[in-house]
C-alpha cells in the first residue's frame, strides 16, 4: 500500500495539501488543499493503484458531459503512479463515487449464499437448471406463436363504414316511399290548435289489391306562439308557492302568503322586545374614552419633562462660544474688522522607524529583527517573515506579537495598508496612539490576513483623519501560509509593505 499524503505536501507542483479528510478501505484519499496559482481552496481525490484507471475514466466522462456529477473537474494528473483529480470543494461521498464503476456487474452478497447453505445444507449450484421436457415446452411455445396470425386471419372483417352507409340508404328509402292516395280534408281550427280530420282510404277492388287493416285516425296539433302568449297565463314563483301551500291544506291569501291564523299559537302571541340597555352604555363608553385621553396626555407631559431634565443634566445645552487667540489674531489682521477662519493644514505621516514587541517573551523572533526594515522600504517584493509555528498561537510560546510604526511627528492618519500577505485566516487589530504604550493606544479595527492586501480606513470622531504618532499592528493569531510553508509548521507572518497614509 502506498504512503498516505501528509498536510503540506504539494501535488502536481501547484496544489498544496492542507488537510487529510478521509481514506477509503481501498486506499483512496480525499484531501483538501489550496491552488497556489489561483489562491483558492480545492478538493483533491487521489485514487489507489487499483482505482486510478477508473478515476481517470470518470473524470473524462464528467469533463465531456457523458456523465453527470455534482463536482466540477478542474485538473487531472498522476503522482507517484496514482491518478489524482482536482475539483471544487465537494463532499467526500461525491468524490468516492467516481472510483466506483457505474455499470459494474452485480455481485451477490456473500451472506445470501451462506443463508442458503444453512437452510438447504448445500451451497447453490452455478449451473443452470434443465428439465427433460425442455425441448417439447419450447416447441409448443413456438407453434403457438406461428398459429396465432392464422387464427386472426380467419375472423370476418367488419367495416363500420359499410354498415353506416347501409343504414343511411335504408332510412332514405323509408322516407321516399309513396303513401297511399287519400282525399285532402281541410283542417279544422279549434281555439289555439289545428286539428286535421282523419283520412279515409278509398275502396279498392279485391282483385286489384289486398284489403289493408283499418288505420287509427291521426291527430296533428300545431301551436302558434301568438296564441300561446295570449291564452296561456304566466306562472310566477308566488303562484307556484301558493299552489303548493293549498295542496298541503294551508290557507293562503291572494298574494300567496300564509295567513296569520294558520301559525301556531306561540307564534301568534310573539312580540318584539325592545332593549334599552344599549342606550345607557353610550355615555359610559364616552366617559372611558375621555379618561384614556386624559391619562395619555399626562404621561406624554411627564415623558417630555423627563427628557428635558436628562438633556440639561448631561450638559447637552448649547455651549458658550469661546473666542480663541488664533481667531482674535486673524480678525485683527483682517482689514475692515472682518474675520475669516484659517485653513488647517493636514500633516502627512512619514515613517521614522519600526520595532517589534512580544509581551512576556521579547526574545521570540529576535533573530528576524534585522529584516523589519523591509516592511517599510517601499518595495513590496522585499518581505519580512517571522518564524513558522505548529499552531496559530505562536506554538504556545507567546500570546501575541506587536509591530510598532513610529512617525517623525504627530500626523493625520486616514488609511493603513498591509501588502504582500501570503496567508489565510489569523487575527489582528490596529491601534493608534500618541506614545509607544500599547495600552494607551486607541483600537481602530480588527480582522484577518486573508488575501494579498488588507486596507483599514481610519477616521476620527467627526469623520476626519485621526492624529497620532505611533501605529500598532497587534497580531493575536498567526495566519496559515498559502504557499512555501513547512508542512509541520504551516503558521507564520509575512508582510511585504506596512503603509500609513
Amino acid at each position: 500500500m502506498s504512503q498516505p499524503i501528509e498536510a503540506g505536501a504539494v501535488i502536481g507542483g501547484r496544489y498544496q495539501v492542507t488537510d487529510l479528510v478521509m481514506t477509503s478501505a481501498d486506499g483512496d484519499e480525499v484531501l483538501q488543499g489550496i491552488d497556489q496559482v489561483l489562491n483558492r481552496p480545492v478538493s483533491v481525490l487521489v485514487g489507489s493503484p487499483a482505482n486510478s484507471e477508473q478515476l481517470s475514466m470518470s473524470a473524462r466522462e464528467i469533463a465531456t458531459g457523458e456523465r453527470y456529477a455534482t463536482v466540477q473537474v478542474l485538473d487531472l494528473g498522476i503522482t507517484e503512479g496514482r491518478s489524482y483529480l482536482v475539483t471544487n470543494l465537494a463532499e467526500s461521498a461525491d468524490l468516492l463515487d467516481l472510483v466506483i464503476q457505474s455499470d459494474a456487474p452485480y455481485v451477490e452478497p456473500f451472506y445470501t449464499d451462506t443463508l442458503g447453505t444453512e437452510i438447504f445444507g448445500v451451497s447453490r449450484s452455478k449451473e443452470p437448471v434443465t428439465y427433460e421436457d425442455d425441448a417439447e415446452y419450447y416447441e409448443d411455445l413456438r407453434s403457438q406463436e406461428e398459429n396465432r396470425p392464422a387464427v386472426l386471419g380467419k375472423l370476418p372483417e367488419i367495416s363500420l363504414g359499410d354498415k353506416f352507409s347501409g343504414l343511411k340508404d335504408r332510412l332514405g328509402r323509408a322516407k321516399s316511399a309513396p303513401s297511399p292516395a287519400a282525399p285532402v280534408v281541410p283542417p279544422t281550427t279549434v281555439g289555439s290548435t289545428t286539428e286535421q280530420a282523419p283520412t279515409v282510404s278509398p275502396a279498392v277492388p279485391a282483385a286489384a289489391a289486398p284489403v289493408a287493416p283499418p288505420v287509427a285516425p291521426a291527430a296533428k296539433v300545431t301551436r302558434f306562439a301568438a296564441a300561446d302568449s295570449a291564452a296561456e297565463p304566466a306562472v310566477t314563483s308566488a303562484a307556484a308557492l301558493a299552489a303548493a301551500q293549498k295542496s298541503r291544506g294551508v290557507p293562503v291569501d291572494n298574494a300567496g302568503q300564509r295567513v296569520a291564523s294558520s301559525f301556531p299559537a306561540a307564534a301568534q302571541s310573539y312580540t318584539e322586545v325592545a332593549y334599552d340597555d344599549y342606550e345607557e352604555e353610550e355615555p359610559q363608553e364616552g366617559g372611558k374614552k375621555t379618561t384614556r385621553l386624559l391619562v395619555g396626555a399626562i404621561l406624554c407631559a411627564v415623558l417630555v419633562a423627563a427628557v428635558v431634565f436628562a438633556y440639561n443634566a448631561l450638559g447637552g445645552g448649547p455651549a458658550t462660544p469661546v473666542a480663541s487667540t488664533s481667531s482674535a489674531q486673524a480678525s485683527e489682521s483682517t482689514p475692515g474688522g472682518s474675520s475669516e477662519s484659517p485653513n488647517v493644514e493636514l500633516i502627512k505621516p512619514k515613517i521614522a522607524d519600526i520595532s517589534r514587541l512580544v509581551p512576556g517573551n521579547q526574545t521570540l523572533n529576535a533573530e528576524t529583527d534585522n529584516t523589519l526594515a523591509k516592511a517599510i522600504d517601499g518595495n513590496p517584493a522585499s518581505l519580512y517573515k517571522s518564524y513558522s509555528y505548529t499552531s496559530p498561537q505562536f506554538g504556545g510560546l507567546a500570546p501575541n506579537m506587536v509591530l510598532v510604526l513610529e512617525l517623525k511627528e504627530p500626523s493625520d492618519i486616514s488609511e493603513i495598508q498591509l501588502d504582500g500577505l501570503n496567508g489565510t485566516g489569523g487575527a489582528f487589530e490596529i491601534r493608534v496612539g500618541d506614545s509607544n504604550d500599547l495600552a494607551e493606544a486607541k483600537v481602530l479595527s480588527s480582522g484577518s490576513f486573508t488575501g494579498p492586501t488588507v486596507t483599514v480606513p481610519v477616521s476620527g470622531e467627526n469623520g476626519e483623519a485621526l492624529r497620532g504618532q505611533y501605529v500598532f499592528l497587534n497580531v493575536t493569531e498567526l495566519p496559515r501560509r498559502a504557499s512555501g510553508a513547512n508542512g509541520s509548521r504551516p503558521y507564520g507572518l509575512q508582510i511585504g509593505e506596512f503603509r500609513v497614509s
Side-chain angles (χ1 to χ4, degrees), residues 393-438:
Q393 287 75 25
F394 300 90
L397 301 176
N400 61 328
M401 183 178 72
V402 186
L403 297 182
V404 185
L405 280 184
E406 181 182 358
L407 306 180
K408 293 183 179 180
E409 59 179 337
S411 308
D412 297 310
I413 303 172
S414 60
E415 186 179 86
I416 298 172
Q417 185 174 348
L418 301 175
D419 294 337
L421 304 177
N422 181 29
T424 57
F428 69 88
E429 63 179 9
I430 299 293
R431 300 192 183 191
V432 174
D434 297 329
S435 64
N436 59 357
D437 190 359
L438 179 65

Side-chain angles (χ1 to χ4, degrees), residues 27 32 34 50 101 108 143 146 149 190 193 203 205-206 257 319 341 355 359 365 383 404 431 483:
Q32 222 174 20
I34 295 178
Q101 188 176 356
E108 190 173 4
S143 62
E146 293 175 355
V190 180
T193 62
Q257 301 293 331
S341 60
S355 59
N365 284 291
L383 304 175
V404 185
R431 300 192 183 191
S483 62

